[in-house]
Amino acid sequence: MRRLLFFIMHCFVLTYAFAQSPGNVSSNLQWWFKANDGTSTVVDKNQVDSWENKGGFKTKEIVRMTNSSPGFPKFLQNEINSNPALQFSSTNIAGFQTFSSDITNMLPLAKNSTVFVVYKSPQKSGSISGLHYYCPYILGTECEATRKDYVFGFTDGRVTMKCDSTDYWSVFSTTKYNDNKCHIALASRKIGATATKPSDVAVMVDGLKIGNVGNTNTSDDLNSSNYTNPAYYHGFTVGVQLDRTQLLLNKNTGFSGDIAEIIVYDTVINSMETRKINSYLAIKYGITLDQKSANNYVSADGITIWDASDFTVFNKDIAGIGYDVHAGLFQPQSQSINTNALVMVNDASSLDSSDFLVWSDNGLHTYATSETFSDIVAPIESRIERVWQIQKTGEVGTVSVTLDVAQVPGNLNLNDLRLMLDDDGQFKLGTKLYAPKSITDRKVKFEMVDFNARTGKYFTLGSVDRFNTPLSSTIIPRPELVIYEYITPNGDGHNDDFKIMNIDYFPENELFVYSHDGLEVFHKKNYFNGAWECSNIADGFYYYVFKTGNIKRSGEIVVQH
């Protein structure tokens, strides 16, 4: 109950106490529709009849089209990273339109524009070389009777935009994004000096500019009265195109998938503004921004909350929790939407505005290998290859970390599992261990986890029993200790010091060396090869004792120069 009240309080603060805009980019914001705020219903799987505009344009809502299929568009709770979305269907066609046919509803998309859409879809229909009104339609100002108009489409699995007097796509992504995974799609248009000059157009998906970026044939004003008859105009529409009668839905244009957020600016925003909005959406929906080139995540204040230059190895499955009051962002629970992501974080003990905890992984195997034995100390006996790195901004306090171990092979006694925290990613000395607090459906929850400067910024999953819980499909044999008992410290590079093969797999150890008379001549905790300088040791026989965990070895050493 307290957590519910906490959430309601933050929603109230976000809604009423501060002016908000996506990423705190408020200038020229005209349309802003988000499924978590402003829908006519919040009941799961219920029909949505209206959707409020949180942007600055005078039209403050869009309404369900009269001839929409019953039950659609449909409200889906917890659809994308604990956030809702609206479901559209190409077999149960439905959409939204502005209530008034006022031609001024075209204005936000008439000239310069930047449009963001957060969507997911498996849809394959349409052709990028075909007429746009035979292709799925996400939003726009097009109807059967108009020509100079705007369409943000989804054709053959590609993000598309039409923004001139032709009936063909002006720009489209070269890659298909119909994998039914959530994406952030952006399309921008910058008009030329005159209507006959080309417009600069571009498409970006998940932070990567990817498309046949170039020019359209004109820079027409898309609300031109010469090409838009107000009697036939229906304003801004979402999900499907209307015909001129305002009665029929063009079934060829029905979008199939989820839409979580739509953002429209009547300008071409700059690169930092784009980064702020992409970051806001990526944190909210658990989306990994493309990292083919460094792509930082930033807060509404422009502070870097995930620095790509520090995560060159750990740049997969990016997700985060955070609170950014001016961006309208309160994300207290998060998990990457990527298929193989294992980690969910929630229950922050302190989450104030501008506080963030962002994590990502190295993309390695979700099982143990022989190589990982060099990175563990007792009582841990095995660990998975995958490692996560975190970046904390502000103070989030302690958190709960839940790992979905369904992808970890082999027998699992879940009580053998440990969350391992470390400051350098080596998981040797100084590693902090957390035992599970609850286990449900192969989801293991670790509570009161404290990511601080002492415990470090890396974590992984380990086991205290490699026989009952090997974290692998087979029990991996641990490398054997081999102690070389003959030393020739003459500087020839062979047997010059006391060597223990595979010592790196047993970093937490202790070595004692005694003379034949029983006097201690050398002692070191956490011995490593080369730590005992033998060149000044007299020839003769010596006795050693080596301890690590429950292993104890002893024997004679022969030193001969």
Side-chain angles (χ1 to χ4, degrees), residues 101-119:
S101 62
D102 187 344
I103 196 171
T104 60
N105 285 314
M106 293 184 79
L107 289 176
L109 294 165
K111 297 182 180 180
N112 294 331
S113 63
T114 306
V115 178
F116 293 82
V117 176
V118 178
Y119 79 94

Side-chain angles (χ1 to χ4, degrees), residues 485-500:
E485 298 177 341
Y486 187 66
I487 304 172
T488 57
N490 53 17
D492 66 355
H494 300 286
N495 300 321
D496 285 332
D497 53 29
F498 182 61
K499 283 189 172 63
I500 302 177

Side-chain angles (χ1 to χ4, degrees), residues 447-464:
E447 296 181 352
M448 303 293 290
V449 178
D450 187 6
F451 292 106
N452 57 49
R454 181 178 57 82
T455 57
K457 60 180 183 179
Y458 300 90
F459 67 95
T460 190
L461 181 67
S463 167
V464 296

Side-chain angles (χ1 to χ4, degrees), residues 318-378:
I318 307 168
I321 59 172
Y323 179 21
D324 210 334
V325 66
H326 294 294
L329 175 67
F330 180 60
Q331 193 65 32
Q333 173 173 301
S334 193
Q335 179 173 5
S336 168
I337 61 168
N338 293 348
T339 304
N340 295 321
L342 306 185
V343 172
M344 182 183 74
V345 175
N346 61 359
D347 297 337
S349 62
S350 173
L351 194 60
D352 298 321
S353 188
S354 301
D355 290 345
F356 290 90
L357 177 69
V358 186
W359 61 92
S360 49
D361 64 61
N362 58 8
L364 295 182
H365 299 124
T366 59
Y367 53 80
T369 65
S370 58
E371 285 78 10
T372 59
F373 279 123
S374 63
D375 279 352
I376 57 176
V377 296

Side-chain angles (χ1 to χ4, degrees), residues 425-478:
Q426 297 300 311
F427 303 101
K428 294 181 179 180
L429 302 179
T431 298
K432 173 74 173 176
L433 303 180
Y434 289 86
K437 290 296 183 182
S438 63
I439 301 169
T440 306
D441 297 330
R442 293 179 73 86
K443 291 181 173 62
V444 185
K445 186 174 185 178
F446 303 90
E447 296 181 352
M448 303 293 290
V449 178
D450 187 6
F451 292 106
N452 57 49
R454 181 178 57 82
T455 57
K457 60 180 183 179
Y458 300 90
F459 67 95
T460 190
L461 181 67
S463 167
V464 296
D465 190 331
R466 67 186 180 92
F467 295 99
N468 286 330
T469 308
L471 302 179
S472 175
S473 56
T474 59
I475 298 174
I476 301 171
R478 187 162 187 145

